[in-house]
């Protein structure tokens, strides 16, 4: 009778570290722990923190092994290099050791769950040197559960060790943190992840392009587990496509990343100011299924890459030789000021696209803004020209007397936000003026720029209509925005606050106060401030 095939194990589980030498990117923690074991200075509680997938739970199991390993001959003691073959090592690796208890705090949050641990720690370990409690996502415990654990955590029996793991250490009470030896597990560098994924691919008998591994490492964002899950998917994708090995192009398609060549062309068109070509390139990528946010992110990565190339520190392993040459060329032609402007414009566009209800349209407007800004003079050059007297006068001796000058243009702007509202009210835009007065808080008034914050939901076209009304009255194009930031109260709220202050002042006068003391049920219905002559 043939044996049934073994069920498939995902790579993230199959290649979980079985000893500290396989734990990548955490050398400082391993060294500290090894020294503590050698000198017999072991803490009674350890807290392991870090982003998802860096090896917190795996490290906790390795520590449990290290504390309970007895060696192949059964005579060994605690060691930073557990043998992996003795009964405690094997049982802990398989998750069946009776003295190593794992608990997920996300599903056992209450005080009753912790009380079971408190009761059990009084009894000695059954077969191991130490009874070990591994509590994952410990920050999910309730406040009462933490409080119940504190006394035991501070003075546990000598045979008990606590190992806590969490991704959100800021949610763990300080009283608990102070009773633990803390290890911050670092994000794993992309180059180490790529090398690790290459070893895994080789062990699986799969060929993988170095660029594909670098792309997976970058997408993993420092998490070995996330990267192995992506690699698992990439291998399956390659099998379905009938290709030999994992290709970079397939990984890009699988992750929904923009084609790097298309992004380079789009970036080049942005620099030349070819609006039609830029919009066509953006739409082509969108039609291929690439998210507009991903396109803006890729353009930001390009600007970042050019800037790093300009300072001489571009060493991204995911870059091809062609990309390196392109970045070096742009770095030689673009100033730092231009790169910083590009970064700010694209970053603003990226944030707008993330929040937009129409992402592709928002992306188009963002890229057109980049092109428009690229055609404006450099602020530094403009200041130098103005300082030297160049380009200040907008009229010449032969110009008609009515030609607008810089001064007359400036005089068209109202001197304040309330004055601007009065201008709108007197200029036939009473409805817009009323909305501004009642529902809009001011962030910044710097004509022709205006930053405002609605106090209640406003029509989506409100900023556009306001800009059109102001242009009709001042003759200038206004830039209306609603950025994040503190705003003044609306003018209506300010009027109401002044009214309330005046009312309180009247109520505080001795004669009125005496009247209300005599007649508690009285009300102040109407009042008028006295005019002193």
């Amino acid at each position: 009778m043939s044996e049934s095939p073994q069920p498939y194990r995902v790579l993230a589980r199959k290649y979980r570290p079985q000893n500290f030498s396989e734990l990548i990117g955490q050398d400082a923690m391993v060294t500290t722990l090894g020294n503590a074991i050698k000198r017999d200075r072991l803490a009674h509680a350890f807290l392991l923190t870090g982003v998802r997938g860096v090896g917190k739970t795996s490290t906790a199991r390795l520590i449990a092994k290290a504390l309970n390993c007895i060696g192949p001959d059964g005579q060994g003691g605690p060691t930073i290099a557990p043998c992996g073959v003795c009964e405690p090592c094997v049982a802990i690796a398989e998750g069946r050791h009776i003295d190593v208890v794992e608990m997920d705090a996300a599903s056992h949050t209450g005080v009753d769950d912790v009380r079971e641990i408190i009761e059990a720690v009084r009894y000695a370990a059954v077969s191991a040197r130490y009874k070990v409690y591994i509590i994952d996502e410990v920050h999910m415990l309730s406040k009462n559960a933490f409080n119940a654990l504190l006394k035991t955590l501070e003075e546990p029996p000598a045979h008990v060790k606590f190992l806590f793991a969490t991704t959100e250490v800021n949610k763990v009470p300080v009283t608990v943190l102070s009773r633990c030896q803390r290890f911050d597990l670092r994000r794993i560098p992309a180059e180490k992840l790529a090398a690790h994924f290459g070893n895994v691919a080789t062990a699986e008998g799969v060929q993988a392009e170095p660029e594909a591994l670098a792309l997976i490492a970058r997408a993993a964002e420092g998490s070995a587990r996330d990267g192995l899950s992506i690699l698992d998917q990439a291998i399956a994708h390659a099998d379905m496509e009938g290709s030999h090995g994992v290709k970079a192009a397939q990984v890009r398609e699988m992750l929904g990343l923009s084609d790097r060549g298309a992004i380079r062309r789009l970036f080049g068109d942005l620099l030349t100011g070819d609006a039609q070509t830029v919009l066509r390139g953006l739409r082509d990528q969108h039609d291929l299924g690439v998210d507009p946010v991903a396109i803006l992110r890729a353009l930001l990565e390009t600007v970042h890459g050019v800037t790093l190339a300009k300072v001489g520190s571009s060493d991204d392993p995911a870059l091809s030789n062609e990309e390196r040459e392109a970045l070096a060329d742009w770095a030689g032609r673009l100033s730092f000021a231009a790169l910083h402007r590009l970064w700010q414009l694209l970053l603003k566009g990226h944030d707008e696209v993330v929040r937009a209800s129409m992402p592709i349209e928002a992306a188009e407007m963002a890229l057109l803004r980049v092109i428009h800004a690229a055609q404006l003079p450099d602020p530094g050059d403009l200041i130098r020209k103005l300082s030297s007297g160049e380009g200040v006068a907008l009229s010449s001796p032969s110009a008609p007397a009515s030609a607008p000058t810089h001064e007359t243009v400036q005089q068209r702007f109202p001197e304040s936000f309330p004055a601007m509202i009065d201008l709108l009210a007197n200029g036939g835009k009473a409805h817009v003026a009323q909305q501004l007065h009642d529902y809009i808080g001011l962030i910044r008034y710097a004509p022709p720029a205006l930053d405002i914050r609605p106090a209640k939901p406003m029509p989506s076209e409100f900023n556009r209509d306001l800009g059109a009304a102001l242009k009709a009255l001042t003759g200038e194009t206004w830039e209306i925005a609603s950025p994040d930031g503190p705003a003044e109260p609306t003018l209506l709220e300010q009027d109401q606050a002044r009214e309330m202050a005046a009312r309180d002042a009247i109520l505080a006068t001795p004669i009125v106060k005496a009247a209300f003391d005599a007649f508690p049920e009285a009300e102040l219905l109407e009042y008028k401030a006295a005019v002193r002559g």
Side-chain angles (χ1 to χ4, degrees), residues 4-39:
S4 60
Q6 290 292 323
Y8 177 69
R9 295 177 69 201
V10 296
L11 298 183
R13 291 189 59 198
K14 185 176 181 180
Y15 292 95
R16 172 170 275 171
Q18 297 303 313
N19 53 64
F20 283 104
S21 63
E22 295 177 3
L23 189 67
I24 58 175
Q26 311 300 340
D27 297 342
M29 185 271 295
V30 174
T31 300
T32 302
L33 189 62
N35 291 338
I37 291 175
K38 288 178 184 177
R39 297 171 185 173

Side-chain angles (χ1 to χ4, degrees), residues 74-261:
Q75 303 301 315
T79 173
I80 194 64
C83 66
V85 296
C86 65
E87 176 56 26
C89 283
V90 174
I92 292 171
E94 295 177 355
R96 57 177 176 82
H97 200 294
I98 193 171
D99 292 319
V100 178
V101 181
E102 293 192 31
M103 186 181 91
D104 177 21
S107 54
H108 298 81
T109 62
V111 67
D112 290 338
D113 300 303
V114 171
R115 190 172 290 119
E116 291 181 13
I117 296 176
I118 296 171
E119 292 295 324
V121 297
R122 295 184 298 171
Y123 304 103
V126 175
S127 62
R129 185 179 296 112
Y130 292 103
K131 181 178 284 189
V132 179
Y133 289 92
I134 300 174
I135 303 180
D136 199 12
E137 299 300 344
V138 69
H139 67 274
M140 299 289 286
L141 289 178
S142 67
K143 182 179 179 180
N144 289 338
F146 273 124
N147 290 337
L149 189 61
L150 282 179
K151 185 63 177 177
T152 302
L153 191 60
E154 185 169 22
E155 299 176 359
H159 61 270
V160 174
K161 301 292 181 184
F162 287 99
L163 303 175
F164 301 138
T166 179
T167 53
E168 300 185 51
V169 69
N170 58 302
K171 293 184 179 180
V172 179
V174 177
T175 50
V176 173
L177 292 176
S178 64
R179 291 167 168 82
C180 300
Q181 187 172 101
R182 174 172 167 176
F183 289 112
D184 289 80
L185 275 64
R186 304 177 58 182
R187 288 180 184 270
I188 306 171
E191 57 272 17
K192 288 190 176 182
L193 280 177
H196 178 57
F197 299 154
N199 293 335
V200 170
T202 301
E204 291 291 305
V206 176
Q207 294 181 345
E209 292 180 351
E211 185 180 353
L213 296 174
L215 287 170
I216 294 172
R218 178 189 290 173
E221 297 182 341
S223 168
R225 183 176 63 236
D226 286 8
L228 287 173
S229 298
I230 297 171
L231 178 61
D232 223 340
Q233 184 181 357
I235 293 173
H237 187 77
D239 289 341
M240 291 178 64
E241 293 289 332
S243 60
H244 300 288
V246 177
K247 307 288 186 183
Q250 292 172 331
V251 173
R252 289 187 188 285
E253 179 183 357
M254 183 186 74
L255 295 176
L257 299 176
S258 300
D259 174 62
R260 297 289 272 269

